[in-house]
């Protein structure tokens, strides 16, 4: 087996793994709704087949024989077919979309929750714009694939099978000859799908880069304007936008190739049906109604066949995004609770670093801390003083376990901080960062952040202690004033 065959088999295996995971973890909880949707799907598909079947007596009894008695019955039968098909299709579409949207919402919640559980190293390696793109753009691509495919693939496939059954019922020889186009179309569609799968990853990556670029520009807009860099940033963002546009146009051009190919195949088959069927009718070996019923069944089967081709393209684009989604969902934090972690109970919170070494990257030749030992006594104010880059911030990051030391240990009281749960350790640490973060929320919410259930009196007391109460009350809505992103509405 050559490398190309290996690559194709790997891709197939990977696809099946992803599909099975989607079904097992996300679709299975909605099994009851799915069964009900399939029931309505079967009704709608059977009505489509029934319409193709009823065309035969309409042609032979009404249009050819002029049987007036059959007019009302057949006309009412067609009316009922359309009413039932419309109602069943509506219910099936609503149920399938509800399932699809619920699955994608669950994935978004799970991904965001996963991000919150990961440690700071992950966020240092993945810019915020990239992560936002994973939650929004990647999952939206997955949303389109899931909702479209759940709604369309089953219905189109069932309809196609039933219509093929009608074709075999009318003329099995002609049906066998006609079905030769299906394998040809399937092979062509599969090749297009593989190309789209590869393109999907490039498109999602391009959109992530664009989101990251825009996020950085908006966050640094003050510097952009201060240094007159608007034109530069406009050009850089324009390049990213142009790159995404080219990828999307290429994907549409590739996906649209199936249209003219399938139209050509169908045109050739219809030509053959008319020639063969025309001679059969002329020879009296079949009726005009039977031929028309066969042509109707084939024509109607072409529509679900086209839908399946389009849905395969959508599915492949979605699977490209799914790979990126699952890559994020499978991330594990390097900093986590040990199996025997306990809630912190320290009466004398003396802090010690014992022979601690740490590097932010495993291949860093220069360590941020190299065999450092210090003692911070309880009940006293201790200042860490040193030149920039000497490791002050790193020490502060190790105490609440934003990172774990590569060697040595950090001790509070007489216990290694790894013996404590992360939640209890950080709950007992108050952090005033050099990097100020203010959320686009009220003053109440910003001061009370991290203290769930804090009373307003407690928040006001904290503001008074910080000598902020006076200017807060001068704000337009006092403590109810929204501060804007990073406090842009504050002086």
């Amino acid at each position: 087996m050559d490398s190309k065959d290996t690559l194709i088999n790997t891709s197939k295996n990977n696809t099946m793994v992803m599909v099975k995971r989607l079904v097992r973890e996300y679709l299975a909880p909605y099994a009851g709704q799915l069964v009900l949707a399939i029931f309505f799907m079967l009704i709608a598909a059977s009505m489509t087949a029934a319409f193709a079947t009823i065309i035969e007596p309409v042609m032979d009894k009404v249009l050819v024989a002029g049987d007036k008695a059959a007019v009302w019955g057949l006309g009412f039968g067609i009316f009922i077919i359309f009413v039932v098909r419309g109602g069943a299709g509506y219910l099936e579409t609503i149920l399938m979309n509800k399932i699809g949207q619920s699955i994608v919402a669950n994935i978004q919640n799970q991904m965001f929750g996963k991000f919150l559980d990961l440690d700071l190293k992950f966020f240092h390696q993945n810019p915020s714009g990239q992560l936002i793109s994973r939650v929004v753009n990647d999952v939206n691509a997955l949303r389109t694939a899931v909702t479209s495919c759940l709604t369309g693939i089953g219905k189109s496939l069932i309809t196609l099978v039933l219509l093929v059954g009608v074709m075999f019922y009318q003329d099995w020889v002609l049906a066998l000859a006609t079905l030769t186009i299906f394998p040809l179309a399937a092979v062509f569609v599969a090749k297009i799908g593989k190309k789209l799968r590869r393109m999907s990853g490039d498109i999602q990556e391009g959109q992530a880069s664009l989101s990251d670029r825009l996020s950085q520009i908006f966050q640094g807009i003050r510097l952009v304007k201060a240094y007159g860099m608007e034109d530069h940033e406009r050009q850089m963002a324009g390049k990213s936008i142009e790159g995404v546009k080219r990828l999307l146009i290429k994907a549409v051009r590739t996906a649209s190739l199936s249209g003219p190919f399938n139209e050509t195949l169908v045109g050739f088959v219809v030509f053959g049906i008319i020639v063969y069927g025309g001679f059969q009718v002329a020879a009296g070996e079949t009726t005009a109604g039977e031929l028309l019923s066969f042509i109707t069944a084939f024509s109607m089967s072409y529509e679900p066949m086209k839908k399946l081709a389009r849905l395969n393209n959508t599915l492949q684009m979605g699977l490209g995004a799914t790979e990126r989604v699952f890559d994020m969902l499978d991330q594990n934090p390097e900093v986590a609770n040990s199996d025997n972690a306990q809630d912190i109970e320290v009466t004398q919170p003396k802090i010690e670093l014992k022979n601690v070494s740490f590097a932010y990257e495993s291949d860093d030749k220069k360590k941020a801390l190299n065999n450092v030992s210090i003692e911070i006594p309880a009940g006293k104010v201790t200042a860490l003083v040193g030149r920039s880059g000497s490791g002050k911030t790193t020490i502060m990051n190790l105490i609440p376990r934003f990172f774990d030391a590569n060697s040595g240990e950090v001790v509070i009281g007489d216990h290694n901080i790894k013996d404590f749960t992360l939640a209890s350790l950080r709950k007992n640490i108050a952090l005033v960062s050099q990097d100020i973060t203010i959320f686009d929320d009220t003053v109440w919410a910003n001061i009370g952040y991290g203290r769930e259930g804090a009373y307003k009196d407690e928040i006001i007391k904290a503001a008074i202690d910080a000598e902020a109460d006076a200017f807060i009350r001068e704000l337009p809505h006092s403590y109810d004033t929204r501060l804007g992103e990073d406090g842009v509405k504050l002086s």
Side-chain angles (χ1 to χ4, degrees):
M1 182 182 292
D2 61 24
S3 58
K4 182 179 179 181
D5 292 333
T6 303
L7 180 63
I8 292 173
N9 287 335
T10 302
S11 176
K12 287 180 180 178
N13 292 335
N14 192 33
T15 298
M16 288 307 300
V17 168
M18 285 192 295
V19 171
K20 287 179 179 178
R21 182 173 175 180
L22 281 169
V23 171
R24 182 179 64 253
E25 296 182 15
Y26 303 103
L27 183 59
Y30 303 97
Q33 296 180 49
L34 181 63
V35 170
L36 186 60
I38 292 174
F39 170 73
F40 288 120
M41 190 185 298
L42 284 167
I43 292 177
S46 64
M47 289 301 101
T48 301
F51 176 74
T53 304
I54 205 172
I55 288 297
E56 179 186 345
V58 168
M59 182 69 182
D60 290 338
K61 292 184 178 182
V62 176
L63 299 181
V64 176
D67 186 352
K68 295 180 180 180
V71 172
W72 286 102
L74 291 172
F76 185 71
I78 291 176
F79 171 73
I80 293 298
I81 285 173
F82 277 90
V83 170
V84 173
R85 186 173 70 173
Y90 171 79
L91 294 172
E92 169 264 325
T93 300
I94 293 299
L95 284 169
M96 282 299 198
N97 269 280
K98 182 180 178 182
I99 294 171
Q101 298 293 353
S102 298
I103 288 173
V104 173
N106 290 341
I107 292 175
Q108 279 186 311
N109 280 320
Q110 187 178 355
M111 182 183 289
F112 180 65
K114 170 65 75 172
F115 287 163
L116 293 180
D117 290 336
L118 294 173
D119 44 61
L120 287 185
K121 182 178 180 180
F122 171 83
F123 292 94
H124 289 179
Q125 295 173 339
N126 295 274
S128 60
Q130 295 269 355
L131 299 181
I132 292 171
S133 181
R134 296 280 180 135
V135 177
V136 178
N137 294 330
D138 290 6
V139 178
N140 272 338
L142 176 59
R143 183 194 305 275
T144 301
V146 170
T147 54
S148 298
C149 293
L150 278 178
T151 303
I153 286 182
K155 184 177 180 179
S156 296
L157 192 59
I158 293 172
T159 303
L160 181 61
V161 170
L162 291 176
L163 288 171
V164 168
V166 173
M167 291 163 60
F168 271 93
Y169 172 76
Q170 296 296 353
D171 191 326
W172 67 271
V173 175
L174 188 56
L176 281 176
T178 302
L179 291 182
T180 56
I181 72 163
F182 289 167
L184 293 173
V187 170
F188 189 76
V189 167
K191 289 184 177 181
I192 290 176
K194 289 176 185 177
K195 291 183 179 180
L196 290 173
R197 175 80 167 274
R198 291 192 295 268
M199 290 180 189
S200 176
D202 294 336
I203 290 171
Q204 300 306 319
E205 187 64 35
Q207 289 177 330
S209 297
L210 175 59
S211 296
D212 185 38
R213 186 77 199 178
L214 295 177
S215 175
Q216 291 184 50
I217 293 171
F218 295 150
Q219 288 179 8
I221 192 64
R222 182 176 297 180
L223 287 177
V224 171
K225 290 185 173 297
Y227 290 101
M229 296 295 288
E230 290 92 342
D231 288 340
H232 170 76
E233 296 299 347
R234 192 177 289 114
Q235 290 176 6
M236 296 302 293
K239 289 180 180 178
S240 296
I241 292 170
E242 185 66 23
V244 172
K245 184 195 78 172
R246 285 198 300 268
L247 288 170
L248 289 170
I249 291 174
K250 184 177 180 181
V252 170
R253 189 165 57 240
T254 301
S256 300
L257 285 173
S258 59
F261 181 80
N262 288 336
E263 292 289 347
T264 302
L265 282 178
V266 170
F268 177 76
V269 171
V270 170
F271 165 76
I273 292 173
I274 292 174
V275 172
Y276 172 81
F279 281 111
Q280 290 287 92
V281 172
E285 297 182 9
T286 188
T287 68
E290 290 173 339
L291 177 61
L292 182 60
S293 178
F294 184 94
I295 293 174
T296 301
F298 175 77
S299 300
M300 297 180 76
S301 71
Y302 174 52
E303 187 58 34
M305 187 177 70
K306 285 197 301 183
K307 285 184 178 178
L308 287 171
R310 291 195 298 266
L311 288 170
N312 177 69
N313 296 340
T314 303
L315 176 62
Q316 293 302 324
M317 294 287 286
L319 288 175
T322 303
E323 287 182 293
R324 290 166 53 86
V325 168
F326 283 164
D327 179 57
M328 289 291 102
L329 290 176
D330 292 337
Q331 295 286 329
N332 291 311
E334 294 185 10
V335 178
N337 288 328
S338 63
D339 294 335
N340 301 316
Q342 302 291 325
D343 287 346
I344 185 170
E345 291 183 9
V346 177
T347 56
Q348 291 294 320
K350 178 180 68 173
I351 301 174
E352 293 182 83
L353 272 67
K354 297 181 177 180
N355 302 316
V356 169
S357 295
F358 177 78
Y360 283 95
E361 298 293 340
S362 57
D363 57 351
D364 278 355
K365 295 180 180 179
K366 183 179 179 181
K367 296 180 178 179
L369 297 176
N370 188 17
N371 201 32
V372 171
S373 296
I374 61 173
E375 181 177 325
I376 303 173
K380 294 185 179 181
V381 176
T382 302
L384 292 176
V385 181
R387 69 181 188 277
S388 179
S390 61
K392 304 184 299 296
T393 301
T394 300
I395 291 174
M396 298 305 298
N397 282 334
L398 293 178
I399 294 172
R401 290 192 68 195
F402 293 150
F403 299 93
D404 276 338
N406 301 134
S407 61
E409 59 179 353
V410 180
V411 176
I412 295 181
D414 296 321
H415 298 276
N416 189 314
I417 59 173
K418 292 182 180 179
D419 295 336
F420 304 130
T421 61
L422 287 168
S424 67
L425 173 65
R426 292 170 183 172
K427 187 176 180 181
N428 283 276
I429 296 174
L431 176 66
V432 180
S433 174
Q434 64 184 359
D435 301 317
I436 305 302
T437 299
I438 297 177
F439 295 102
D440 184 16
D441 208 332
T442 64
V443 176
W444 294 116
N446 274 279
I447 297 178
Y449 191 80
R451 180 78 179 276
E452 190 173 354
Y455 294 107
K456 288 188 174 181
D457 290 345
E458 294 176 296
I459 292 174
I460 292 173
K461 183 179 183 304
I464 292 172
D465 291 342
E467 299 184 3
D469 179 71
F471 87 79
I472 290 173
R473 294 186 183 278
E474 293 176 359
L475 295 173
H477 303 289
S478 186
Y479 281 82
D480 290 312
T481 303
R482 295 187 71 90
L483 301 180
E485 187 176 9
D486 282 334
V488 295
K489 295 181 181 179
L490 293 175
S491 170

